[in-house]
Coordinates of all heavy atoms in Angstrom, one line a residue:
M21 N -93.3 -81.6 -45.1 CA -93.4 -83.1 -45.0 C -94.6 -83.5 -45.8 O -95.1 -84.6 -45.6 CB -93.6 -83.4 -43.5 CG -92.3 -83.5 -42.7 SD -91.0 -84.5 -43.3 CE -91.7 -86.1 -43.0
D22 N -95.2 -82.8 -46.7 CA -96.3 -83.2 -47.5 C -95.9 -84.2 -48.6 O -96.7 -84.9 -49.2 CB -97.1 -82.1 -48.1 CG -96.1 -81.2 -48.9 OD1 -94.9 -81.3 -48.8 OD2 -96.7 -80.4 -49.8
K23 N -94.6 -84.3 -48.9 CA -94.2 -85.3 -49.9 C -94.1 -86.7 -49.4 O -94.3 -87.7 -50.0 CB -92.7 -84.9 -50.3 CG -92.6 -83.5 -50.9 CD -93.0 -83.5 -52.3 CE -92.8 -82.1 -52.9 NZ -93.3 -81.9 -54.2
I24 N -93.9 -86.8 -48.1 CA -93.8 -88.1 -47.4 C -95.2 -88.4 -46.8 O -95.7 -87.7 -46.0 CB -92.7 -88.2 -46.3 CG1 -91.3 -87.8 -46.8 CG2 -92.7 -89.5 -45.5 CD1 -90.3 -87.6 -45.8
I25 N -95.8 -89.5 -47.2 CA -97.1 -89.8 -46.9 C -97.3 -90.5 -45.5 O -97.8 -90.0 -44.6 CB -97.9 -90.6 -48.0 CG1 -97.9 -89.7 -49.2 CG2 -99.3 -90.9 -47.5 CD1 -98.4 -90.4 -50.4
Y26 N -96.5 -91.7 -45.4 CA -96.5 -92.4 -44.2 C -95.5 -93.5 -44.2 O -95.1 -94.0 -45.2 CB -97.9 -93.0 -43.8 CG -98.4 -93.9 -44.9 CD1 -98.1 -95.3 -45.0 CD2 -99.4 -93.4 -45.8 CE1 -98.6 -96.1 -45.9 CE2 -99.9 -94.2 -46.8 CZ -99.5 -95.5 -46.8 OH -100.1 -96.4 -47.8
P27 N -94.9 -93.9 -43.0 CA -94.0 -95.0 -43.0 C -94.7 -96.3 -43.2 O -95.9 -96.5 -42.9 CB -93.4 -95.0 -41.6 CG -94.4 -94.2 -40.8 CD -95.1 -93.3 -41.7
V28 N -94.0 -97.3 -43.9 CA -94.6 -98.6 -44.1 C -94.2 -99.6 -43.1 O -92.9 -99.7 -42.9 CB -94.3 -99.0 -45.6 CG1 -94.9 -100.4 -45.9 CG2 -94.7 -98.0 -46.6
L29 N -95.0 -100.3 -42.5 CA -94.7 -101.3 -41.5 C -95.3 -102.7 -41.9 O -96.5 -102.9 -41.7 CB -95.2 -100.9 -40.1 CG -94.4 -99.7 -39.6 CD1 -95.1 -99.3 -38.2 CD2 -93.0 -100.0 -39.3
T30 N -94.5 -103.4 -42.5 CA -95.0 -104.8 -42.9 C -93.9 -105.8 -42.4 O -93.0 -105.3 -41.8 CB -95.1 -105.0 -44.4 OG1 -93.8 -104.7 -45.0 CG2 -96.1 -104.0 -45.0
E31 N -94.1 -107.1 -42.6 CA -93.1 -108.1 -42.1 C -91.8 -107.8 -42.8 O -90.8 -107.9 -42.1 CB -93.7 -109.5 -42.4 CG -94.8 -109.9 -41.6 CD -95.3 -111.3 -41.9 OE1 -94.5 -112.0 -42.5 OE2 -96.4 -111.7 -41.5
K32 N -91.8 -107.5 -44.1 CA -90.5 -107.3 -44.8 C -89.9 -106.0 -44.3 O -88.6 -106.0 -44.0 CB -90.8 -107.2 -46.3 CG -89.5 -107.0 -47.0 CD -89.7 -107.0 -48.5 CE -88.4 -106.7 -49.2 NZ -88.7 -106.7 -50.7
T33 N -90.6 -105.0 -44.1 CA -90.0 -103.7 -43.6 C -89.4 -103.8 -42.2 O -88.5 -103.1 -41.8 CB -90.9 -102.5 -43.8 OG1 -92.1 -102.7 -43.0 CG2 -91.2 -102.3 -45.2
I34 N -90.1 -104.6 -41.3 CA -89.6 -104.8 -40.0 C -88.3 -105.6 -40.0 O -87.4 -105.3 -39.2 CB -90.8 -105.5 -39.1 CG1 -91.9 -104.5 -38.9 CG2 -90.2 -106.0 -37.8 CD1 -93.1 -105.1 -38.3
R35 N -88.1 -106.5 -40.9 CA -86.8 -107.2 -41.1 C -85.8 -106.2 -41.5 O -84.7 -106.3 -41.2 CB -87.0 -108.4 -42.0 CG -87.6 -109.6 -41.4 CD -87.4 -110.8 -42.3 NE -87.8 -110.5 -43.8 CZ -88.9 -110.9 -44.4 NH1 -89.8 -111.6 -43.7 NH2 -89.1 -110.6 -45.6
L36 N -86.2 -105.2 -42.4 CA -85.2 -104.3 -42.9 C -84.8 -103.3 -41.8 O -83.6 -102.7 -41.9 CB -85.9 -103.5 -44.1 CG -86.0 -104.3 -45.4 CD1 -86.7 -103.3 -46.4 CD2 -84.8 -104.7 -45.9
L37 N -85.5 -103.1 -40.8 CA -85.1 -102.3 -39.7 C -83.8 -102.8 -39.0 O -83.0 -102.0 -38.5 CB -86.2 -102.2 -38.6 CG -87.4 -101.4 -39.0 CD1 -88.5 -101.5 -38.0 CD2 -87.1 -99.9 -39.4
E38 N -83.6 -104.1 -39.0 CA -82.4 -104.6 -38.4 C -81.1 -104.2 -39.2 O -80.0 -104.1 -38.7 CB -82.4 -106.2 -38.4 CG -83.5 -106.7 -37.6 CD -83.7 -108.2 -37.7 OE1 -83.0 -108.8 -38.5 OE2 -84.6 -108.7 -36.9
K39 N -81.3 -103.9 -40.5 CA -80.2 -103.4 -41.3 C -80.2 -101.9 -41.5 O -79.5 -101.3 -42.3 CB -80.4 -104.0 -42.8 CG -80.4 -105.5 -42.9 CD -80.7 -105.9 -44.3 CE -80.8 -107.4 -44.5 NZ -81.1 -107.9 -45.7
N40 N -80.9 -101.3 -40.6 CA -81.0 -99.8 -40.5 C -81.6 -99.2 -41.8 O -81.1 -98.2 -42.3 CB -79.5 -99.2 -40.2 CG -79.7 -97.9 -39.5 OD1 -80.7 -97.6 -38.9 ND2 -78.6 -97.1 -39.5
Q41 N -82.6 -99.9 -42.4 CA -83.3 -99.5 -43.5 C -84.8 -99.2 -43.2 O -85.3 -99.9 -42.5 CB -83.2 -100.5 -44.6 CG -81.8 -100.8 -45.2 CD -81.8 -101.8 -46.3 OE1 -82.7 -102.6 -46.4 NE2 -80.8 -101.8 -47.0
Y42 N -85.2 -98.1 -43.7 CA -86.6 -97.6 -43.4 C -87.3 -97.5 -44.7 O -86.8 -97.1 -45.7 CB -86.6 -96.3 -42.6 CG -86.0 -96.4 -41.2 CD1 -84.6 -96.3 -41.1 CD2 -86.7 -96.7 -40.1 CE1 -84.0 -96.4 -39.9 CE2 -86.2 -96.8 -38.9 CZ -84.8 -96.7 -38.8 OH -84.2 -96.8 -37.5
S43 N -88.6 -97.8 -44.6 CA -89.5 -97.7 -45.8 C -90.6 -96.7 -45.7 O -91.3 -96.7 -44.6 CB -90.0 -99.1 -46.1 OG -90.8 -99.1 -47.2
F44 N -90.8 -95.8 -46.7 CA -91.9 -94.8 -46.7 C -92.6 -94.8 -48.0 O -92.0 -95.0 -49.0 CB -91.2 -93.4 -46.4 CG -90.5 -93.2 -45.2 CD1 -89.2 -93.3 -45.0 CD2 -91.3 -92.8 -44.0 CE1 -88.6 -93.2 -43.8 CE2 -90.7 -92.5 -42.8 CZ -89.3 -92.7 -42.7
N45 N -93.9 -94.6 -47.9 CA -94.6 -94.2 -49.1 C -94.6 -92.7 -49.3 O -94.8 -91.9 -48.4 CB -96.1 -94.7 -49.0 CG -96.2 -96.1 -49.3 OD1 -95.3 -96.8 -49.6 ND2 -97.5 -96.6 -49.1
V46 N -94.3 -92.3 -50.6 CA -94.1 -90.9 -50.8 C -95.0 -90.5 -52.0 O -95.5 -91.4 -52.7 CB -92.6 -90.5 -51.1 CG1 -91.8 -90.8 -49.9 CG2 -92.0 -91.3 -52.3
N47 N -95.1 -89.2 -52.2 CA -95.8 -88.7 -53.4 C -95.2 -89.2 -54.7 O -93.9 -89.2 -54.8 CB -95.8 -87.2 -53.2 CG -96.9 -86.5 -54.2 OD1 -97.5 -87.2 -55.0 ND2 -97.1 -85.3 -54.0
V48 N -96.0 -89.4 -55.7 CA -95.4 -89.9 -57.0 C -94.6 -88.9 -57.7 O -93.6 -89.3 -58.3 CB -96.6 -90.5 -57.9 CG1 -96.1 -91.0 -59.2 CG2 -97.4 -91.6 -57.2
Q49 N -94.9 -87.6 -57.5 CA -94.3 -86.6 -58.3 C -92.8 -86.3 -57.6 O -92.0 -85.6 -58.2 CB -95.0 -85.3 -58.4 CG -96.2 -85.4 -59.4 CD -97.4 -86.1 -58.8 OE1 -97.6 -86.1 -57.6 NE2 -98.3 -86.5 -59.6
S50 N -92.6 -86.7 -56.5 CA -91.4 -86.3 -55.8 C -90.2 -87.2 -56.2 O -90.4 -88.4 -56.6 CB -91.5 -86.4 -54.3 OG -91.9 -87.7 -53.9
D51 N -89.0 -86.6 -56.2 CA -87.8 -87.5 -56.7 C -86.9 -87.7 -55.4 O -87.2 -87.2 -54.3 CB -87.1 -86.7 -57.8 CG -86.6 -85.4 -57.4 OD1 -87.1 -84.8 -56.3 OD2 -85.8 -84.7 -58.1
K52 N -85.8 -88.5 -55.7 CA -85.0 -88.9 -54.6 C -84.3 -87.7 -53.9 O -84.1 -87.7 -52.7 CB -83.9 -89.8 -55.1 CG -84.4 -91.2 -55.4 CD -83.3 -92.1 -55.9 CE -83.8 -93.5 -56.2 NZ -82.7 -94.4 -56.6
K53 N -83.9 -86.7 -54.6 CA -83.3 -85.5 -54.0 C -84.2 -84.8 -53.0 O -83.7 -84.4 -51.9 CB -82.8 -84.6 -55.1 CG -81.7 -85.2 -55.9 CD -81.3 -84.2 -57.0 CE -80.2 -84.8 -57.9 NZ -79.8 -83.9 -59.0
E54 N -85.4 -84.6 -53.4 CA -86.4 -83.9 -52.5 C -86.6 -84.7 -51.2 O -86.6 -84.2 -50.1 CB -87.7 -83.7 -53.2 CG -87.7 -82.8 -54.3 CD -89.1 -82.7 -55.0 OE1 -89.7 -83.7 -55.1 OE2 -89.4 -81.5 -55.3
I55 N -86.8 -86.0 -51.4 CA -87.1 -86.9 -50.3 C -85.9 -87.0 -49.3 O -86.0 -86.9 -48.1 CB -87.5 -88.4 -50.7 CG1 -88.8 -88.2 -51.6 CG2 -87.7 -89.3 -49.5 CD1 -90.0 -87.7 -50.8
K56 N -84.7 -87.1 -49.9 CA -83.5 -87.1 -49.1 C -83.3 -85.9 -48.3 O -83.1 -85.8 -47.1 CB -82.2 -87.3 -50.0 CG -81.0 -87.4 -49.2 CD -79.8 -87.6 -50.1 CE -78.5 -87.8 -49.3 NZ -77.4 -88.1 -50.1
K57 N -83.6 -84.7 -48.9 CA -83.5 -83.4 -48.2 C -84.5 -83.3 -47.0 O -84.1 -83.0 -45.9 CB -83.8 -82.3 -49.2 CG -83.6 -80.9 -48.5 CD -84.0 -79.8 -49.5 CE -85.5 -79.8 -49.6 NZ -86.1 -78.6 -50.3
W58 N -85.8 -83.7 -47.3 CA -86.8 -83.7 -46.3 C -86.5 -84.6 -45.1 O -86.7 -84.1 -43.9 CB -88.1 -84.0 -46.8 CG -88.8 -82.9 -47.6 CD1 -89.0 -82.8 -49.0 CD2 -89.4 -81.7 -47.0 NE1 -89.6 -81.6 -49.2 CE2 -89.9 -81.0 -48.1 CE3 -89.5 -81.3 -45.7 CZ2 -90.5 -79.7 -47.8 CZ3 -90.3 -80.1 -45.5 CH2 -90.7 -79.3 -46.5
I59 N -86.1 -85.8 -45.4 CA -85.8 -86.7 -44.3 C -84.6 -86.3 -43.5 O -84.6 -86.4 -42.3 CB -85.7 -88.2 -44.8 CG1 -87.1 -88.6 -45.3 CG2 -85.1 -89.1 -43.8 CD1 -87.1 -90.0 -45.9
E60 N -83.5 -85.9 -44.1 CA -82.3 -85.4 -43.4 C -82.7 -84.2 -42.6 O -82.2 -84.1 -41.4 CB -81.2 -85.2 -44.3 CG -80.6 -86.4 -44.9 CD -79.4 -86.1 -45.8 OE1 -79.3 -85.0 -46.3 OE2 -78.6 -87.1 -46.0
L61 N -83.5 -83.3 -43.0 CA -83.8 -82.1 -42.2 C -84.8 -82.4 -41.0 O -84.6 -82.0 -40.0 CB -84.5 -81.0 -43.1 CG -83.5 -80.3 -44.0 CD1 -84.2 -79.4 -44.9 CD2 -82.5 -79.5 -43.2
F62 N -85.8 -83.2 -41.3 CA -86.9 -83.5 -40.4 C -86.4 -84.4 -39.3 O -86.7 -84.2 -38.1 CB -88.1 -84.0 -41.1 CG -89.3 -84.1 -40.2 CD1 -90.0 -83.0 -39.9 CD2 -89.8 -85.3 -39.7 CE1 -91.1 -83.1 -39.0 CE2 -90.8 -85.4 -38.9 CZ -91.5 -84.3 -38.6
F63 N -85.7 -85.5 -39.6 CA -85.3 -86.4 -38.6 C -83.8 -86.3 -38.1 O -83.4 -87.0 -37.2 CB -85.4 -87.9 -39.2 CG -86.9 -88.3 -39.4 CD1 -87.3 -88.5 -40.7 CD2 -87.8 -88.4 -38.4 CE1 -88.7 -88.8 -40.9 CE2 -89.1 -88.8 -38.5 CZ -89.5 -89.0 -39.8
S64 N -83.1 -85.4 -38.7 CA -81.7 -85.1 -38.3 C -80.8 -86.4 -38.4 O -80.2 -86.8 -37.5 CB -81.5 -84.5 -36.9 OG -82.3 -83.3 -36.8
V65 N -80.8 -87.0 -39.6 CA -80.1 -88.2 -39.9 C -79.3 -88.0 -41.2 O -79.5 -87.0 -41.9 CB -81.0 -89.4 -40.0 CG1 -81.8 -89.8 -38.8 CG2 -82.0 -89.2 -41.2
E66 N -78.4 -89.0 -41.4 CA -77.6 -89.0 -42.6 C -77.9 -90.3 -43.4 O -77.9 -91.3 -42.9 CB -76.1 -88.9 -42.4 CG -75.7 -87.6 -41.8 CD -74.2 -87.5 -41.6 OE1 -73.4 -88.2 -42.4 OE2 -73.7 -86.8 -40.7
I67 N -78.2 -90.1 -44.7 CA -78.6 -91.2 -45.6 C -77.5 -91.6 -46.4 O -76.8 -90.8 -47.0 CB -79.8 -90.7 -46.5 CG1 -81.0 -90.3 -45.6 CG2 -80.2 -91.7 -47.5 CD1 -82.1 -89.8 -46.3
T68 N -77.3 -93.0 -46.5 CA -76.2 -93.5 -47.3 C -76.7 -93.9 -48.7 O -76.1 -93.7 -49.7 CB -75.6 -94.7 -46.6 OG1 -76.5 -95.7 -46.4 CG2 -74.8 -94.3 -45.5
S69 N -77.9 -94.5 -48.8 CA -78.5 -94.8 -50.1 C -80.0 -94.9 -50.0 O -80.6 -94.9 -49.0 CB -78.0 -96.3 -50.5 OG -78.5 -97.2 -49.6
M70 N -80.6 -94.8 -51.2 CA -82.1 -94.7 -51.4 C -82.4 -95.6 -52.6 O -81.8 -95.5 -53.6 CB -82.5 -93.3 -51.6 CG -82.3 -92.4 -50.4 SD -82.9 -90.7 -50.8 CE -84.6 -91.0 -50.7
N71 N -83.5 -96.4 -52.4 CA -84.0 -97.1 -53.5 C -85.5 -96.8 -53.6 O -86.2 -96.6 -52.6 CB -83.9 -98.7 -53.3 CG -82.4 -99.1 -53.2 OD1 -81.6 -98.5 -54.0 ND2 -82.1 -100.1 -52.5
S72 N -86.0 -96.8 -54.9 CA -87.4 -96.4 -55.0 C -88.1 -97.3 -56.0 O -87.4 -97.8 -56.9 CB -87.6 -95.0 -55.4 OG -87.1 -94.8 -56.7
H73 N -89.3 -97.6 -55.8 CA -90.1 -98.3 -56.9 C -91.6 -97.9 -56.7 O -92.1 -97.4 -55.7 CB -90.0 -99.8 -56.8 CG -90.6 -100.4 -55.5 ND1 -90.0 -100.4 -54.3 CD2 -91.8 -101.0 -55.4 CE1 -90.8 -101.0 -53.4 NE2 -91.9 -101.4 -54.0
R74 N -92.3 -98.0 -57.8 CA -93.7 -97.7 -57.9 C -94.5 -99.0 -57.5 O -94.2 -100.0 -58.1 CB -94.2 -97.2 -59.3 CG -93.6 -95.8 -59.5 CD -94.1 -95.3 -60.8 NE -94.5 -93.9 -60.7 CZ -95.5 -93.4 -61.3 NH1 -96.1 -94.0 -62.2 NH2 -95.8 -92.1 -61.2
L75 N -95.6 -98.8 -56.8 CA -96.4 -99.9 -56.5 C -97.3 -100.2 -57.6 O -97.6 -99.3 -58.4 CB -97.2 -99.6 -55.2 CG -96.4 -99.3 -53.9 CD1 -97.3 -98.9 -52.9 CD2 -95.6 -100.5 -53.5
P76 N -97.7 -101.5 -57.8 CA -98.6 -101.8 -59.0 C -100.0 -101.2 -58.8 O -100.5 -101.0 -57.7 CB -98.7 -103.3 -58.9 CG -98.3 -103.7 -57.6 CD -97.4 -102.7 -57.0
N77 N -100.6 -100.8 -59.9 CA -101.9 -100.1 -59.9 C -102.9 -101.2 -59.5 O -102.8 -102.4 -59.8 CB -102.3 -99.6 -61.3 CG -101.6 -98.4 -61.6 OD1 -101.1 -97.7 -60.8 ND2 -101.3 -98.1 -63.0
K78 N -103.9 -100.8 -58.8 CA -105.0 -101.6 -58.3 C -106.3 -101.1 -59.0 O -106.5 -99.9 -59.0 CB -105.3 -101.6 -56.8 CG -104.0 -102.1 -56.1 CD -104.3 -102.1 -54.6 CE -103.1 -102.6 -53.9 NZ -103.3 -102.6 -52.5
K79 N -107.1 -102.1 -59.6 CA -108.3 -101.6 -60.3 C -109.4 -101.3 -59.2 O -109.4 -101.9 -58.2 CB -108.9 -102.8 -61.1 CG -108.1 -103.0 -62.4 CD -108.8 -104.0 -63.2 CE -108.1 -104.1 -64.5 NZ -108.8 -105.1 -65.4
K80 N -110.2 -100.3 -59.6 CA -111.2 -99.8 -58.7 C -112.4 -99.6 -59.6 O -112.4 -99.0 -60.5 CB -110.8 -98.5 -58.0 CG -111.8 -98.0 -57.1 CD -111.2 -96.7 -56.4 CE -112.1 -96.2 -55.3 NZ -111.6 -95.1 -54.7
K81 N -113.6 -100.2 -59.1 CA -114.8 -100.1 -59.9 C -115.8 -99.3 -59.2 O -116.1 -99.5 -58.1 CB -115.4 -101.5 -60.1 CG -116.5 -101.5 -61.1 CD -117.0 -102.9 -61.4 CE -118.1 -102.9 -62.4 NZ -118.6 -104.2 -62.8
I82 N -116.3 -98.3 -59.9 CA -117.3 -97.4 -59.4 C -118.4 -97.4 -60.3 O -118.4 -96.9 -61.4 CB -116.7 -95.9 -59.2 CG1 -115.6 -95.9 -58.3 CG2 -117.8 -95.0 -58.8 CD1 -114.8 -94.6 -58.3
G83 N -119.5 -98.1 -59.9 CA -120.6 -98.2 -60.8 C -120.3 -99.0 -62.0 O -119.7 -100.1 -61.9
A84 N -120.6 -98.5 -63.2 CA -120.3 -99.2 -64.4 C -118.9 -99.0 -65.0 O -118.4 -99.7 -65.8 CB -121.3 -98.8 -65.5
T85 N -118.2 -98.0 -64.5 CA -116.9 -97.6 -64.9 C -115.8 -98.2 -64.1 O -115.9 -98.4 -62.9 CB -116.7 -96.1 -65.0 OG1 -116.8 -95.6 -63.7 CG2 -117.7 -95.4 -65.8
T86 N -114.7 -98.5 -64.7 CA -113.5 -99.0 -64.0 C -112.4 -98.1 -64.2 O -112.2 -97.5 -65.2 CB -113.1 -100.4 -64.6 OG1 -114.1 -100.9 -65.4 CG2 -112.7 -101.4 -63.6
G87 N -111.6 -97.9 -63.1 CA -110.5 -97.1 -63.1 C -109.4 -97.7 -62.3 O -109.4 -98.8 -61.9
Y88 N -108.4 -96.9 -61.9 CA -107.3 -97.4 -61.2 C -107.2 -96.5 -59.9 O -107.3 -95.3 -59.9 CB -106.0 -97.3 -61.9 CG -105.9 -98.4 -63.0 CD1 -106.3 -98.1 -64.4 CD2 -105.6 -99.7 -62.7 CE1 -106.2 -99.0 -65.3 CE2 -105.6 -100.6 -63.7 CZ -105.9 -100.3 -65.0 OH -105.8 -101.3 -65.9
H89 N -106.9 -97.2 -58.8 CA -106.7 -96.6 -57.5 C -105.3 -95.8 -57.6 O -104.3 -96.3 -58.2 CB -106.6 -97.6 -56.5 CG -106.4 -97.1 -55.1 ND1 -107.3 -96.3 -54.4 CD2 -105.4 -97.2 -54.2 CE1 -106.8 -96.0 -53.3 NE2 -105.7 -96.5 -53.1
I90 N -105.2 -94.6 -57.0 CA -104.0 -93.8 -57.0 C -103.0 -94.6 -56.1 O -103.3 -94.8 -54.9 CB -104.3 -92.4 -56.5 CG1 -105.3 -91.7 -57.4 CG2 -102.9 -91.6 -56.4 CD1 -105.7 -90.4 -56.8
C91 N -101.8 -94.9 -56.6 CA -100.8 -95.6 -55.8 C -99.7 -94.6 -55.6 O -99.6 -93.5 -56.1 CB -100.4 -96.8 -56.5 SG -99.6 -96.5 -58.1
H92 N -98.8 -95.0 -54.7 CA -97.7 -94.2 -54.2 C -96.4 -94.8 -54.7 O -96.4 -95.9 -55.2 CB -97.7 -94.1 -52.7 CG -99.1 -93.7 -52.1 ND1 -99.5 -92.4 -52.3 CD2 -99.9 -94.4 -51.4 CE1 -100.7 -92.3 -51.7 NE2 -101.0 -93.5 -51.1
K93 N -95.4 -94.0 -54.5 CA -94.1 -94.5 -54.7 C -93.5 -94.9 -53.4 O -93.7 -94.2 -52.4 CB -93.2 -93.3 -55.3 CG -91.8 -93.8 -55.8 CD -90.9 -92.7 -56.2 CE -91.4 -91.8 -57.3 NZ -90.5 -90.8 -57.7
R94 N -92.7 -96.0 -53.3 CA -92.2 -96.5 -52.1 C -90.7 -96.3 -52.1 O -90.0 -96.7 -53.0 CB -92.5 -98.0 -51.9 CG -92.1 -98.5 -50.4 CD -92.6 -99.7 -50.1 NE -94.0 -99.5 -49.8 CZ -95.0 -100.5 -49.7 NH1 -94.6 -101.7 -49.8 NH2 -96.2 -100.3 -49.5
M95 N -90.2 -95.7 -51.0 CA -88.7 -95.4 -50.9 C -88.2 -96.2 -49.8 O -88.7 -96.3 -48.7 CB -88.5 -93.9 -50.6 CG -89.0 -92.9 -51.5 SD -88.2 -92.9 -53.1 CE -86.7 -92.1 -52.6
I96 N -87.1 -97.0 -50.0 CA -86.4 -97.7 -49.0 C -85.1 -96.9 -48.7 O -84.3 -96.8 -49.7 CB -86.1 -99.1 -49.4 CG1 -87.4 -99.9 -49.6 CG2 -85.2 -99.9 -48.3 CD1 -87.3 -101.2 -50.2
I97 N -84.9 -96.4 -47.6 CA -83.8 -95.5 -47.1 C -82.8 -96.3 -46.2 O -83.3 -96.8 -45.2 CB -84.4 -94.2 -46.6 CG1 -85.3 -93.5 -47.5 CG2 -83.3 -93.4 -46.0 CD1 -86.2 -92.5 -47.0
T98 N -81.6 -96.2 -46.5 CA -80.5 -96.8 -45.6 C -79.9 -95.6 -45.0 O -79.3 -94.7 -45.6 CB -79.6 -97.6 -46.5 OG1 -80.3 -98.6 -47.2 CG2 -78.6 -98.3 -45.5
L99 N -79.7 -95.7 -43.6 CA -79.1 -94.7 -42.9 C -77.7 -95.1 -42.5 O -77.4 -96.3 -42.5 CB -79.9 -94.4 -41.6 CG -81.4 -93.9 -41.8 CD1 -81.9 -93.7 -40.4 CD2 -81.4 -92.7 -42.5
K100 N -76.9 -94.1 -42.2 CA -75.5 -94.4 -41.7 C -75.6 -95.1 -40.3 O -76.6 -94.9 -39.6 CB -74.7 -93.2 -41.5 CG -74.1 -92.6 -42.8 CD -73.2 -91.5 -42.5 CE -72.6 -91.0 -43.8 NZ -71.6 -89.9 -43.6
S101 N -74.7 -95.9 -39.9 CA -74.7 -96.6 -38.6 C -74.7 -95.5 -37.5 O -73.9 -94.5 -37.6 CB -73.5 -97.5 -38.4 OG -72.4 -96.8 -38.6
G102 N -75.4 -95.8 -36.5 CA -75.5 -94.8 -35.3 C -76.8 -93.9 -35.4 O -77.1 -93.2 -34.5
Y103 N -77.4 -93.8 -36.6 CA -78.6 -93.0 -36.8 C -79.8 -93.9 -36.8 O -79.7 -95.1 -37.2 CB -78.5 -92.2 -38.1 CG -77.5 -91.1 -38.1 CD1 -76.3 -91.3 -38.6 CD2 -77.8 -89.9 -37.5 CE1 -75.3 -90.3 -38.7 CE2 -76.9 -88.9 -37.5 CZ -75.7 -89.1 -38.1 OH -74.7 -88.0 -38.1
S104 N -81.0 -93.4 -36.3 CA -82.2 -94.1 -36.4 C -83.4 -93.1 -36.5 O -83.2 -91.9 -36.2 CB -82.4 -95.0 -35.2 OG -82.5 -94.2 -34.0
I105 N -84.5 -93.6 -37.0 CA -85.7 -92.8 -37.1 C -86.7 -93.4 -36.2 O -87.1 -94.5 -36.3 CB -86.2 -92.8 -38.5 CG1 -85.2 -92.1 -39.5 CG2 -87.6 -92.1 -38.6 CD1 -85.6 -92.2 -40.9
P106 N -87.3 -92.5 -35.2 CA -88.3 -93.1 -34.3 C -89.7 -93.1 -35.1 O -90.2 -92.1 -35.6 CB -88.4 -92.0 -33.2 CG -87.9 -90.8 -33.8 CD -86.9 -91.2 -34.9
L107 N -90.2 -94.3 -35.3 CA -91.4 -94.6 -36.1 C -92.6 -94.4 -35.2 O -93.7 -94.0 -35.7 CB -91.4 -96.0 -36.7 CG -90.3 -96.2 -37.8 CD1 -90.4 -97.6 -38.3 CD2 -90.5 -95.3 -38.9
F108 N -92.5 -94.6 -33.9 CA -93.6 -94.4 -33.0 C -93.3 -93.4 -32.0 O -92.1 -93.3 -31.5 CB -94.0 -95.7 -32.3 CG -94.3 -96.8 -33.2 CD1 -93.4 -97.9 -33.4 CD2 -95.5 -96.9 -33.9 CE1 -93.6 -98.9 -34.2 CE2 -95.7 -97.9 -34.8 CZ -94.8 -98.9 -34.9
S109 N -94.3 -92.5 -31.6 CA -94.0 -91.5 -30.6 C -93.9 -92.2 -29.2 O -94.6 -93.2 -29.0 CB -95.0 -90.4 -30.6 OG -96.3 -91.0 -30.3
S110 N -93.2 -91.6 -28.3 CA -93.0 -92.2 -27.0 C -94.0 -91.6 -25.9 O -93.7 -91.6 -24.7 CB -91.6 -92.0 -26.5 OG -91.2 -90.6 -26.5
K111 N -95.1 -91.0 -26.4 CA -96.1 -90.4 -25.5 C -96.9 -91.5 -24.8 O -97.3 -92.5 -25.3 CB -96.9 -89.4 -26.2 CG -96.2 -88.2 -26.7 CD -97.0 -87.2 -27.4 CE -96.2 -86.0 -27.8 NZ -97.0 -85.1 -28.5

C-alpha cells in the first residue's frame, strides 16, 4: 500500500461518493494497473473504471532559491454497484 498515499476528501469528492466514485492521491511513478491491483486486493472490491490526472505544481521558496513542491497523481476510481470502500474506521 505504499503506492496509495491517502484518500482525498473535498466537497467535490464527497459528491462523487454518491456515484460510487472514490478519489485517492497516489505515487507519481505508479500506473493504473498497479493501483487497480492494490485497491482490488486490499479493499476486496471490483473496479469498473479509473481516471487519473496530475495536480499542478506549487512553487516553494526556500531562502533565495525557488523550487517546486512535490505533487501527487490523483486517481478517481469507479466501483461496481454493491461495492464500497470504508474511508473511516469504525473504532
Side-chain angles (χ1 to χ4, degrees):
M21 286 299 293
D22 58 341
K23 304 278 184 186
I24 300 169
I25 299 171
Y26 56 86
V28 179
L29 292 173
T30 61
E31 290 180 16
K32 182 179 179 179
T33 59
I34 290 173
R35 283 193 309 256
L36 290 176
L37 290 175
E38 297 172 358
K39 299 177 185 177
N40 210 17
Q41 295 180 337
Y42 295 85
S43 182
F44 293 95
N45 278 356
V46 298
N47 195 351
V48 177
Q49 287 82 20
S50 58
D51 59 349
K52 287 183 179 182
K53 291 178 184 179
E54 289 177 323
I55 299 301
K56 182 176 181 177
K57 181 185 79 168
W58 279 106
I59 289 180
E60 285 181 342
L61 287 174
F62 189 75
F63 293 112
S64 300
V65 296
E66 291 186 30
I67 296 174
T68 58
S69 66
M70 297 178 71
N71 296 325
S72 67
H73 69 279
R74 288 181 140 214
L75 300 173
N77 287 335
K78 295 182 180 179
K79 283 189 178 181
K80 186 175 184 181
K81 187 171 182 178
I82 301 173
T85 60
T86 342
Y88 288 98
H89 182 68
I90 299 171
C91 62
H92 309 290
K93 189 189 300 186
R94 185 163 292 168
M95 302 289 286
I96 299 174
I97 299 162
T98 306
L99 301 179
K100 282 188 177 180
S101 60
Y103 289 98
S104 65
I105 295 175
L107 294 178
F108 302 106
S109 64
S110 60
K111 291 182 181 178

